[in-house]
Amino acid sequence: MDFAFYRNFITVAETGNLSAAAKRLGIVQPALSAQMKAIERNYGVQLFKMQRGKRHIELTEAGETFLQQARQLCNTEDDISLRMQAFGRRAAGTLRFSVSHVRTDYFLRSYLIPFAKENPGIS
């Protein structure tokens, strides 16, 4: 299942209305409705209570559980994405410091050389 489907489900649940959710998401309502039906088919449960003539959508008990899990799943995916982006943004620049001449050799071997190996973008 595409993460966009989970995110779109969350938006539908939060707005309680397919048209409002579609507008917020910038997609057409029939496409969003098809996504919600695809989720229900995929999991084999009814997630929404839809009443004819009413625009407000309510979640079934399964829908409430699905909403909690979808939020958790999307939060985890967001966290993974942020952590992986951090690998692409290594620190860079110039680091200036002063060390007592008595401790220079120890400082270089113990701290500066390992630091320089882990952070090649810092001079």
Side-chain angles (χ1 to χ4, degrees):
M1 186 72 45
D2 188 333
F3 277 105
F5 282 40
Y6 294 109
R7 293 181 191 287
N8 293 352
F9 176 86
I10 293 167
T11 302
V12 170
E14 289 174 348
T15 61
N17 183 292
L18 278 171
S19 296
K23 186 175 182 177
R24 182 185 293 179
L25 294 166
I27 61 176
V28 295
Q29 187 271 332
L32 183 58
S33 181
Q35 285 182 9
M36 297 307 104
K37 288 176 185 172
I39 292 172
E40 288 180 325
R41 268 193 317 275
N42 186 66
Y43 291 102
V45 294
Q46 183 179 355
L47 300 173
F48 301 101
K49 296 177 198 172
M50 297 207 189
Q51 298 176 2
R52 284 216 176 291
K54 292 192 176 181
R55 292 183 176 205
H56 186 74
I57 295 173
E58 293 181 24
L59 297 177
T60 63
E61 185 178 349
E64 290 289 348
T65 299
F66 188 85
L67 177 61
Q68 292 172 1
Q69 295 298 304
R71 283 182 173 145
Q72 187 175 27
L73 182 64
C74 289
N75 288 338
T76 299
E77 198 273 335
D78 289 343
D79 186 51
I80 291 169
S81 182
L82 287 173
R83 288 173 187 252
M84 294 303 105
Q85 287 174 15
F87 283 102
R89 289 180 280 174
R90 295 283 184 191
T94 302
L95 178 63
R96 289 182 169 72
F97 55 89
S98 62
V99 178
S100 164
H101 70 281
V102 175
R103 306 285 290 162
T104 301
D105 188 53
Y106 173 77
F107 180 78
L108 286 172
R109 277 188 283 110
S110 300
Y111 298 105
L112 192 56
I113 291 172
F115 179 85
K117 286 180 183 176
E118 288 184 33
N119 300 281
I122 298 178
S123 60

